[in-house]
Amino acid sequence: MCRICAAVFQSDNVAPILRIALKRLEYGGYDSAGIATLYGGKIFVKKDKGKIDEIHQALNLDDLPGNIGIAHTRWATHGGPSKINAHPHLDCFGEIAVVHNGIIENFLELKQELENLKHVFISKTDTEVIPHLIEEYYKKTRNFREACFQAIRRLQGTYAIAILSRHDKDTIVVARKGSPLLLGIGNGFNFASSDAIAFIDKTKRCMPLEDGDIAFIKADSFEIYRIEDATLVKRREITIDWDIEMASKEGYEHFMLKEIMEQPYSMRLSLSAQKQYIDLVSEFMEKSTKNFLVAAGTSYNSCVAGSYIYSKLANLATIPVIASEFIEQYGNAIDVNTTILFVSQSGETADVIAAVDYARKKACTVLGICNVIGSTLTRMVRAYIHQQSGPEIGVAATKTYTSQLIIHLLLGISLAKKRGKISQSEMDELKEAIAELPNLAYQILIEKQKEMRNIAKILASKKHVFFLARGINYATALEGRLKLLEIAYIPSTAYPAGESKHGPISLIEEGVPVIFIAPNDETRKLIIGNIMEMKARNATIISLGEEDDKELIQLSDYYVAMPRMQAILTPILYILPLQLLAYYTAVEKGLDPDKPRNLAKSVTVL
């Protein structure tokens, strides 16, 4: 969970450009960072522990000389955060510099082999074996490109690599396997990066690399080969449809708040998802005898809601599964009659990609919901739906979650129609209600900010928070709990309210906050009983419910009144106050909600 960037220009000083790019990539790792440039036949490196701005203030990254360079922002996987472990890493003679995102699984074996050949290592990282391995092959071949081919073929695991060397002064070498990497194509310059946001202000022309690709990049050209056999290949260029302004804070204190507040807009985009792909994915699901929904983190919570949607609307049974558990739990039970819908905001989540690869080998029909066109997931599945949320910089997913729920809803409607489980009048009524989602979201977000800020002041000092719900909003409890846990660091528990007597109730004492998601649906009468059980034990009751629910208002210490809506839509809108609550609780505690500790935006290692 790091991010890399590389650039070569015909004349411009590259260091300031790479520093700005790193700042935009900081969401992917921020415990250390560094830049290497090449000038006058010498590699110059500046790196340290800390965030980009802190390192720049101490070292002045901009004064690195040269028009070609590589850069890295790190989230530690091998070796703790330190200046020594920060990238770029060098070979024995300082002639080869490497930055890397991923994990080299056989690095201990390679390191021992290289140490036996008198190579000296200074860091605790797996990455450092790469420049030393290239150095060793260069000694044998005296051909830098061939040395890169041979060295990279030895690597086992996942990687996105950028290589700089005095042996090929005007070229950056990049390669990928299992970690995101794409080229940014310009006039008189070229980029390579983990994410297009690094170069979006310079060019919107983009070319994703495939697993097993190696590219040689100059200021005015590039070539892509297959690592395995050095075959020259062509890749399809795409044009990015968003700009740098969309990825800025736009006056908000944090990216997370900006992204929460722009959900009315992102919902409209998701509602316009292309119908032919909705119908195609739903057709595969409808024909299958077994359907799974596989994802991680927030995307998994969307799948929990999706499983209710498909059942309620289309009478279709689907099984939501956490990606990291899927192979062990269901690997022997899937076959050619199985359809699996994989959901991933980034399309690069390692556990998801591993499950996709396994499912393909079992001849399953693999489908996707994703926010990043050209990502690994979108290139591996048989068909996918672009959720169209736009870039999301905050580590804690917000707008991408509601967009995923909308895609599940659109798929549910399509499936219900195909299976004859919904009448035309019911469909018309539901579509009319769905069209109002962005307006209702805007109303909720504007009206609930002050209210959620006040409740956050209460939660900020609490040691534990419970989220309880029934039915489809169990998913809302899961996601509300995850947001509070991620960015406010408050231990939290989400449970189906009907199960609260099987354990959680033993922890309830005076003042413990219990948040109930309690819309006026078929579960309301039952959840009233659960609220009374908690109230009898002096819990602090915080409820989200319909605006005129007098009984619920009377039972609650704090009540968040929500507009009336169809029950199937409640997960999309009831999560909004809980996102605000998590955000304001983090701010109340003096935490940075954009950079929660130990977390990264996309988990690209297993």
Side-chain angles (χ1 to χ4, degrees), residues 172-452:
I172 294 169
V173 183
V174 298
R176 75 154 283 176
K177 178 187 175 185
S179 291
L181 189 62
L182 60 164
L183 307 185
I185 304 164
N187 294 318
F189 65 88
N190 283 305
F191 279 87
S193 180
S194 305
D195 191 324
I197 195 173
F199 53 74
I200 190 63
D201 61 326
K202 300 292 185 182
T203 180
K204 293 188 177 184
R205 296 171 61 200
C206 172
M207 184 173 290
L209 298 182
E210 300 282 352
D211 273 354
D213 281 354
I214 183 171
F216 300 89
I217 305 167
K218 299 178 182 290
D220 57 358
S221 65
F222 60 87
E223 294 176 326
I224 304 171
Y225 296 84
R226 297 299 291 166
I227 296 168
E228 183 180 10
D229 58 8
T231 302
L232 184 67
V233 294
K234 299 289 186 182
R235 298 291 177 230
R236 185 172 65 90
E237 181 179 321
I238 62 176
T239 301
I240 301 165
D241 61 358
W242 47 272
D243 55 29
I244 193 62
E245 285 74 22
M246 291 179 66
S248 69
K249 293 182 184 177
E250 296 179 359
Y252 290 99
E253 185 177 358
H254 298 98
F255 281 114
M256 183 179 180
L257 182 58
K258 168 189 171 288
E259 289 157 2
I260 290 172
M261 298 305 294
E262 69 186 17
Q263 284 176 105
Y265 176 68
S266 62
M267 287 180 185
R268 292 186 196 280
L269 293 177
S270 299
L271 286 169
S272 66
Q274 292 184 320
K275 186 177 184 300
Q276 62 266 40
Y277 296 115
I278 296 285
D279 289 342
L280 179 60
V281 169
S282 65
E283 183 176 343
F284 282 124
M285 294 174 70
E286 197 274 330
K287 290 179 178 178
S288 182
T289 59
K290 290 178 283 188
N291 279 283
F292 293 91
L293 312 173
V294 177
T298 285
S299 296
Y300 168 75
N301 294 339
S302 86
C303 289
V304 173
S307 69
Y308 284 90
I309 289 170
Y310 301 131
S311 176
K312 286 178 175 294
L313 290 181
N315 291 10
L316 181 71
T318 56
I319 303 172
V321 188
I322 293 171
S324 59
E325 294 295 321
F326 180 74
I327 296 173
E328 283 295 320
Q329 189 173 6
Y330 291 105
N332 291 334
I334 61 175
D335 53 33
V336 70
N337 298 313
T338 303
T339 292
I340 309 171
L341 178 60
F342 292 93
V343 184
S344 171
Q345 186 280 137
S346 67
E348 303 292 351
T349 303
D351 289 320
V352 172
I353 299 305
V356 175
D357 188 56
Y358 182 89
R360 291 173 71 186
K361 291 174 181 176
K362 299 280 280 189
C364 301
T365 299
V366 292
L367 310 168
I369 298 174
C370 189
N371 193 40
V372 182
I373 294 175
S375 64
T376 301
L377 178 62
T378 63
R379 299 198 302 276
M380 292 179 73
V381 296
R382 186 165 181 180
Y384 74 92
I385 301 165
H386 182 210
Q387 65 185 68
Q388 302 182 163
S389 310
E392 186 175 66
I393 306 303
V395 170
T398 52
K399 64 176 182 173
T400 56
Y401 176 71
T402 51
S403 290
Q404 287 170 358
L405 292 180
I406 285 173
I407 299 301
H408 284 303
L409 184 61
L410 296 177
L411 278 171
I413 293 170
S414 178
L415 279 162
K417 185 176 180 180
K418 291 180 188 300
R419 294 168 65 85
K421 304 300 181 182
I422 190 170
S423 68
Q424 188 60 50
S425 62
E426 289 173 326
M427 184 176 293
D428 291 343
E429 182 181 351
L430 183 54
K431 286 184 176 180
E432 185 177 336
I434 290 171
E436 281 299 304
L437 281 172
N439 294 333
L440 287 174
Y442 178 80
Q443 174 190 331
I444 292 165
L445 290 168
I446 294 299
E447 293 179 356
K448 301 305 174 187
Q449 288 186 76
K450 183 177 180 181
E451 192 174 348
M452 304 320 293

Side-chain angles (χ1 to χ4, degrees), residues 15-319:
I17 297 168
L18 288 174
R19 175 182 59 81
I20 293 169
L22 279 188
K23 182 64 180 175
R24 297 182 191 139
L25 293 169
E26 198 170 23
Y27 71 88
Y30 39 82
D31 62 37
S32 61
I35 297 174
T37 60
L38 180 64
Y39 181 73
K42 182 180 178 181
I43 290 178
F44 296 83
V45 177
K46 289 188 178 184
K47 62 180 184 176
D48 208 343
K49 175 184 176 181
K51 297 181 180 179
I52 307 299
D53 289 342
E54 296 167 347
I55 297 169
H56 178 52
Q57 185 175 7
L59 302 180
N60 187 10
L61 297 171
D62 289 356
D63 72 356
L64 285 163
N67 64 335
I68 181 170
I70 59 177
H72 186 274
T73 182
R74 184 172 188 253
W75 187 87
T77 55
H78 287 78
S82 68
K83 181 175 182 177
I84 289 175
N85 289 333
H87 299 212
H89 290 288
L90 303 174
D91 70 323
C92 291
F93 302 102
E95 297 178 336
I96 301 166
V98 170
V99 294
H100 162 232
N101 172 28
I103 291 179
I104 305 303
E105 295 172 356
N106 62 333
F107 88 98
L108 286 175
E109 171 191 330
L110 293 172
K111 185 176 181 180
Q112 183 63 56
E113 175 186 324
L114 290 162
E115 285 179 332
N116 291 340
L117 294 169
K118 309 302 181 184
H119 288 260
V120 177
F121 289 80
I122 61 172
S123 79
K124 301 296 184 182
T125 70
D126 55 337
T127 301
E128 196 181 0
V129 301
I130 302 173
H132 287 277
L133 197 59
I134 297 169
E135 173 196 345
E136 189 61 30
Y137 280 109
Y138 182 73
K139 290 177 186 176
K140 297 175 180 178
T141 65
R142 309 309 297 177
N143 182 309
F144 183 66
R145 292 196 176 195
E146 181 60 27
C148 290
F149 272 108
Q150 293 194 27
I152 293 171
R153 286 171 187 154
R154 296 286 309 280
L155 303 180
Q156 297 173 13
T158 61
Y159 53 78
I161 303 168
I163 306 162
L164 186 68
S165 175
R166 65 180 297 274
H167 302 307
D168 197 345
K169 298 181 179 64
D170 60 353
T171 303
I172 294 169
V173 183
V174 298
R176 75 154 283 176
K177 178 187 175 185
S179 291
L181 189 62
L182 60 164
L183 307 185
I185 304 164
N187 294 318
F189 65 88
N190 283 305
F191 279 87
S193 180
S194 305
D195 191 324
I197 195 173
F199 53 74
I200 190 63
D201 61 326
K202 300 292 185 182
T203 180
K204 293 188 177 184
R205 296 171 61 200
C206 172
M207 184 173 290
L209 298 182
E210 300 282 352
D211 273 354
D213 281 354
I214 183 171
F216 300 89
I217 305 167
K218 299 178 182 290
D220 57 358
S221 65
F222 60 87
E223 294 176 326
I224 304 171
Y225 296 84
R226 297 299 291 166
I227 296 168
E228 183 180 10
D229 58 8
T231 302
L232 184 67
V233 294
K234 299 289 186 182
R235 298 291 177 230
R236 185 172 65 90
E237 181 179 321
I238 62 176
T239 301
I240 301 165
D241 61 358
W242 47 272
D243 55 29
I244 193 62
E245 285 74 22
M246 291 179 66
S248 69
K249 293 182 184 177
E250 296 179 359
Y252 290 99
E253 185 177 358
H254 298 98
F255 281 114
M256 183 179 180
L257 182 58
K258 168 189 171 288
E259 289 157 2
I260 290 172
M261 298 305 294
E262 69 186 17
Q263 284 176 105
Y265 176 68
S266 62
M267 287 180 185
R268 292 186 196 280
L269 293 177
S270 299
L271 286 169
S272 66
Q274 292 184 320
K275 186 177 184 300
Q276 62 266 40
Y277 296 115
I278 296 285
D279 289 342
L280 179 60
V281 169
S282 65
E283 183 176 343
F284 282 124
M285 294 174 70
E286 197 274 330
K287 290 179 178 178
S288 182
T289 59
K290 290 178 283 188
N291 279 283
F292 293 91
L293 312 173
V294 177
T298 285
S299 296
Y300 168 75
N301 294 339
S302 86
C303 289
V304 173
S307 69
Y308 284 90
I309 289 170
Y310 301 131
S311 176
K312 286 178 175 294
L313 290 181
N315 291 10
L316 181 71
T318 56
I319 303 172

